Every structure is written in C-alpha cells, then in structure tokens.
Amino acid sequence: MNYNKKSIEDIEVAGKRVLCRCDFNVPTKNGVITSDKRIVAALPTIQYLVEHKAKVILCSHMGKPKGEWKPELSLKVVADRLSELLGQEVIMAADVAGEDAKAKAAALKEGQVMLLENTRYMKGETKNDPELSKELASMADIFVNDAFGTAHRAHSSTAGVADYLPAVSGYLVQKEVSIMGKALADPERPFVAILGGAKVSDKLNVINNLLEKVDTLIIGGGMAYTFQAAKGSSVGKSLLDESKIDYCKEMMAKAEAKGVKLLLPVDCVVASDFPNPIDGPIEVKTVPVTEIPDDMEGLDIGEKTQAIFAEAVKNAKTVVWNGPMGVFENPTLAKGTIAMAQALADSDATTIVGGGDSAAACEQLGFADKITHISTGGGASLEFLEGLELPGIACLQDK
Ligand code: ADP
Ligand code: MG
C-alpha cells in the first residue's frame, strides 16, 4: 500500500463543496455527550476548510443503528457542540443524502458548515452500496477522509464515495498514515515492536507481519503464555490458546531465521484468580515464568521482565506498542504496563501506540503527551500493523 497520499493542502478547496468524513462517534449518556475529544480532534481539518472558503459538508456515523432511524443516535448533539467549538452555526440536515440534505448542501455559502445525519441510518452505508455512495457524492465536488477509526471499513461514506469524487486525507488521517506508514515502510532502526493484550489469536497476523519488519519483537500480556507453553513450560491457569501453540513455535522459528530478537517475559505476577471486580483488591506474588503454580494465573509481567523490555526500548529509534502488558485495569496489575509506558515516555525514539486498550492505558496513566503518536483507531491501527490495505486510505489520491 502506498502511504504517500494527497491531503486537503494538495487540492483547491475554495468555492468547492467538500464532503468530509469525520469520526463523530462520541459517547453519550441520556442525550448528552460525555467526551467531546473526537469533535475537538476534528477541528483542525474543519477550520482549514472554513478558512479556505470551502462549502463544508460533514458526515459521520454514531453507534450502530443498523439502518434504522434511531433518534437517540442522531448527530444533532454533535452539530450543537461543534457550533460552540467553531464559533459558527453548523447547519443540521434532517437526513443523510435525502431531499433536506441535498437542498441544504446546494444552498451552502463559502465557509459555511453543515452536518449530515448519522450515515448508518442508511442500510446501504455498511454494505458500501454504490447507490448511496453516488447520492452522497452528488452533493459534493471533493471527498475528504478524516476518520481513521473507520478507515479499515469499506463503507459508502468511508471509501465508496471516492469512486465518484477526487479524494484526499484530512489532517487526522494524514498524521496516522504518515507516522505509521513511515514506521512500517521505512523505519529508523533499531525498530522495536511490543505486543500484548489478551489473546494470541487476536493478533496472529500482526505478529507474523511485524517479524518481517522489526529488529526486536517483545511479547507480553496474556498472549505471552501461549508462547511460554510452546517453549514447554506449564502456565498454570494463565490465558492459554492451545490451538495456537504450533503457531507460536512457527513464529519463534521465523524470528530466529530472520535474526529478529524475540523477547518473552522471564518472570510474572500471579494470583489465584482473575480479579473480580477487575479493579478490586488482589493478592499477588512474582515467580519465574517457568514456575507458575498450577492453581495460579499470570496477570502481569514481573520486575525483571520490565527491566529487560525497558532496556530494549531504550536503544530503539522506532517503537510501536500494541496491547497492555497485564491486566492494567487493576492498579496492582498495572505495573508492567506503566513500566512500558514509562520506557516509551523516556525514549527519544519515534513512539507509536495503537490499540484501544493500550491507548486508554497511556491516557489513564498520564503518559499520552510523551508519546509521539497515539492512534485514534483501534481496529484500523491493528490492520495497519498487519500490513493490510485499508479501504478508507487506499481510496485516496496518491501524491
Ligand atoms: P488493545 O485494545 O490495546 O489492542 P487488547 O484488547 O488486545 O489490547 O487487550 C487488552 C486486554 O488484555 C486488557 O483488558 C487486559 O486486561 C488484558 N490482559 C493483559 N494481560 C493479561 C493477562 N496476563 N491475562 C489476562 N488478560 C490480560
Ligand atoms: Mg482492545
């Protein structure tokens, strides 16, 4: 996949109707937005379009209405909040690509902004229905994709519409593509990737693809135990994906053949049970990974492992991290994840964090501003690391 894509700065937008796909999938409670982070993140692109005299038509999905007109998933709340943040009216359309949206789009003046209704009100959206894509495209002259979180989906408003309009990236997508694209295509070395999280099976293809690119692959979190079992240890009650033991053996052999350093935990923090509630008090001890008691389960990496992993990060020039090192939701089991976040924060390498839980961990633990880039798309960043082509990015014009 070519990561060198045109952005809004590479196309003339003045006087043009610009359909801009945003990620306004904000959390709400009783009809009130509980975090406007995603709306705030979209402002630079919207402001650029307004300042450069485009006629701005914004669109997004919210939640999963599955083709039904669910009033509680209306984007009206987003239009209201966006009006406040922009300091100008955001005209709300009553439909997605119907009569009202078309009339309002046709009447837009330069610098004005409107928002279409929830794209997933339309059954065709998630099917990438060409009819819906055409209707959406008919309102505009240019398509801008600024929603990275849905870039791995081929939907009408994320990719299909680009069949009918010149398409470029907004600032958010541009940042994701340029930073992650560079890391994968032409990284400064040593390139270290850290994988964690619950299961090997979630990230099979990521492991396989990263072994083609990195100098060191660090594996922690719940997925490490299947590797440990593949090395012949018993792992007690730890998370184990028995059907993936052979796969782990294959990956260890591949690492060896490629000269990639594969780092696995040497010690771990164990408890008799998974914490319940997840953030409740828990009694733990640290043991070597080869000595996990049969009736206990590994829930975090131990201190020796933290030091080994941190040392590998220290010498890196590019670091990609996906997946927490332990059950970070529990303060007693967050230490390994904190140690990795600290190692990234202390490093002068380009540091990239992808994955919903890893990003949340970095933010919760207060490291977000010390990381070069925290991806806004969990699933999308994972597919990126797998080396897959993302439809919402592939559809954009090459530079
Ligand atoms: P991301 O969203 O960053 O890609 P994942 O969804 O793959 O990460 O994994 C996150 C989850 O993995 C967290 O909820 C965490 O509690 C869990 N986890 C991490 N280590 C362990 C472990 N040793 N045992 C069980 N669960 C774990
Ligand atoms: Mg997750």
Side-chain angles (χ1 to χ4, degrees):
M1 189 165 117
N2 182 353
Y3 301 119
N4 202 8
K5 296 292 184 178
K6 283 190 187 171
S7 82
I8 40 176
E9 291 183 9
D10 300 315
I11 197 165
E12 182 61 54
V13 298
K16 301 277 174 56
R17 286 189 177 74
V18 176
L19 176 68
C20 180
R21 176 56 153 101
C22 298
D23 179 2
F24 290 147
N25 185 25
V26 292
T28 61
K29 200 173 176 191
N30 303 324
V32 180
I33 296 171
T34 53
S35 165
D36 65 359
K37 237 182 75 183
R38 287 180 168 162
I39 306 177
V40 172
L43 290 174
T45 296
I46 300 170
Q47 276 158 344
Y48 176 93
L49 293 171
V50 167
E51 277 158 23
H52 288 80
K53 301 192 166 59
K55 302 170 180 178
V56 187
I57 307 166
L58 305 174
C59 69
S60 174
H61 80 282
M62 181 152 99
K64 293 181 177 164
K66 297 191 173 154
E68 276 173 53
W69 214 270
K70 296 208 170 127
E72 69 276 17
L73 293 176
S74 167
L75 284 174
K76 177 73 170 57
V77 284
V78 172
D80 292 346
R81 183 70 189 120
L82 187 58
S83 297
E84 289 168 20
L85 290 167
L86 280 175
Q88 75 177 74
E89 186 195 5
V90 174
I91 302 160
M92 187 66 207
D95 48 32
V96 181
E99 256 175 54
D100 189 66
K102 284 181 179 161
K104 284 175 174 156
L108 277 181
K109 298 193 180 73
E110 291 178 5
Q112 282 191 323
V113 179
M114 70 178 282
L115 174 59
L116 306 179
E117 255 305 358
N118 190 336
T119 50
R120 290 193 192 166
Y121 280 173
M122 304 299 288
K123 285 204 170 66
E125 162 74 336
T126 55
K127 296 186 186 125
N128 198 9
D129 176 4
E131 286 311 310
L132 177 58
S133 304
K134 258 186 243 171
E135 294 292 322
L136 285 167
S138 73
M139 292 187 276
D141 308 302
I142 294 169
F143 173 60
V144 172
N145 187 9
D146 209 23
F148 184 71
T150 47
H152 58 316
R153 308 272 183 232
H155 293 170
S156 284
S157 74
T158 63
V161 65
D163 288 344
Y164 309 98
L165 292 175
V168 298
S169 66
Y171 287 124
L172 284 175
V173 164
Q174 184 190 33
K175 186 173 180 226
E176 297 274 0
V177 174
S178 60
I179 296 183
M180 285 210 277
K182 164 134 182 38
L184 292 174
D186 177 26
E188 258 196 87
R189 294 184 182 276
F191 178 11
V192 175
I194 308 156
L195 286 181
K199 288 184 290 179
V200 178
S201 54
D202 290 343
K203 291 174 189 174
L204 287 178
N205 300 327
V206 179
I207 299 171
N208 193 23
N209 186 47
L210 286 177
L211 282 175
E212 306 281 342
K213 321 236 171 213
V214 301
D215 302 293
T216 301
L217 179 62
I218 295 176
I219 295 191
M223 68 163 70
Y225 300 98
T226 306
F227 279 90
Q228 195 56 39
K231 286 171 76 174
S233 291
S234 76
V235 296
K237 293 196 298 178
S238 308
L239 262 189
L240 175 62
D241 216 336
E242 253 171 289
S243 66
K244 295 294 172 313
I245 289 180
D246 284 342
Y247 176 82
C248 290
K249 286 183 185 160
E250 222 177 280
M251 290 301 110
M252 291 192 286
K254 177 167 174 177
E256 175 131 21
K258 294 227 160 244
V260 173
K261 224 190 267 171
L262 181 67
L263 297 181
L264 291 164
V266 296
D267 59 351
C268 63
V269 176
V270 295
S272 302
D273 282 301
F274 197 84
N276 180 24
I278 194 158
D279 59 350
I282 185 160
E283 207 175 301
V284 299
K285 62 175 182 179
T286 301
V287 298
V289 281
T290 47
E291 292 170 29
I292 301 173
D294 286 344
D295 58 346
M296 298 191 103
E297 110 179 77
L299 296 169
D300 194 11
I301 55 172
E303 274 174 32
K304 286 197 184 113
T305 305
Q306 291 169 25
I308 295 169
F309 288 4
E311 188 61 29
V313 167
K314 207 169 167 186
N315 300 318
K317 287 276 189 304
T318 305
V319 184
V320 171
W321 180 21
N322 178 294
M325 293 293 102
V327 183
F328 74 98
E329 295 91 337
N330 187 299
T332 308
L333 303 168
K335 297 195 178 98
T337 303
I338 292 176
M340 282 329 289
Q342 187 70 54
L344 262 70
D346 292 344
S347 145
D348 44 26
T350 300
T351 50
I352 302 169
V353 175
D357 292 291
S358 323
C362 281
E363 272 154 23
Q364 265 169 43
L365 303 170
F367 291 96
D369 58 344
K370 302 214 173 60
I371 308 282
T372 311
H373 178 61
I374 297 189
S375 176
T376 53
S381 71
L382 212 53
E383 293 200 13
F384 217 120
L385 297 180
E386 284 179 45
L388 297 177
E389 182 171 286
L390 277 59
I393 291 167
C395 72
L396 307 177
Q397 292 185 343
D398 292 334
K399 246 192 188 171

